[in-house]
Amino acid sequence: MQVLYTASARATGDGRDGHVQTSDGTLDLDLAVPKEMGGAGGAANPEQLFAAGYAACFHSALRLVARRAKADVTGSVVEAEVGIGPNGAGGFGLAVTLVVDLPTVDRATAEQLVAQAHQVCPYSNATRGNIEVVLTVRDAA
């Protein structure tokens, strides 16, 4: 693979109760363990960052496949829900649900575009076979 761009981020402090910053400084956040996991909450956490990245990346892939198909996806929205829990082997795992709103296309077209985007998206390609990813189409025309 020819790398077109490399992002770099650094984590300091106490892991999930620490700090992250990208090398260019555009992302600079304190982290906190969510209250649901016994932490104080009140700051970002790795699952939120993963959800934001996956939602943005998948939305970009969706718009790409829609352009190729000459489909109007005006008003489209992608929401990523990232869950974390014990994996049964002493560690933890993630589960993702991608909820896609495509209000300007019919359901069959929406489902086809979402399936195609799932094949194109780098996050989907990275997670395939490693974590469960559920695709949900909502609000199709």
Side-chain angles (χ1 to χ4, degrees):
M1 178 182 90
Q2 178 188 356
V3 174
L4 301 175
Y5 168 76
T6 300
S8 177
R10 181 179 188 161
T12 57
D14 193 18
R16 289 179 165 275
D17 278 319
H19 190 86
V20 291
Q21 182 177 13
T22 56
S23 58
D24 64 3
T26 58
L27 182 68
D28 190 352
L29 297 171
D30 287 328
L31 300 176
V33 175
K35 289 180 181 181
E36 297 85 349
M37 293 177 64
N45 62 65
E47 290 69 40
Q48 291 172 324
L49 298 174
F50 188 74
Y54 204 161
C57 189
F58 195 88
H59 200 196
S60 183
L62 178 66
R63 295 183 65 79
L64 172 71
V65 299
R67 273 192 309 276
R68 289 178 180 167
K70 296 185 181 7
D72 177 13
V73 292
T74 301
S76 60
V77 176
V78 175
E79 181 179 323
E81 301 169 353
V82 175
I84 184 171
N87 65 7
F92 291 86
L94 299 175
V96 174
T97 299
L98 297 174
V99 181
V100 182
D101 293 320
L102 290 166
T104 57
V105 297
D106 63 82
R107 184 164 222 38
T109 301
E111 289 175 353
Q112 183 179 31
L113 292 172
V114 167
Q116 290 172 354
H118 194 45
Q119 297 304 309
V120 171
C121 175
Y123 275 64
S124 292
N125 289 330
T127 60
R128 188 171 292 107
N130 297 308
I131 65 174
E132 180 184 1
V133 177
V134 175
L135 304 173
T136 303
V137 174
R138 181 174 61 194
D139 295 337

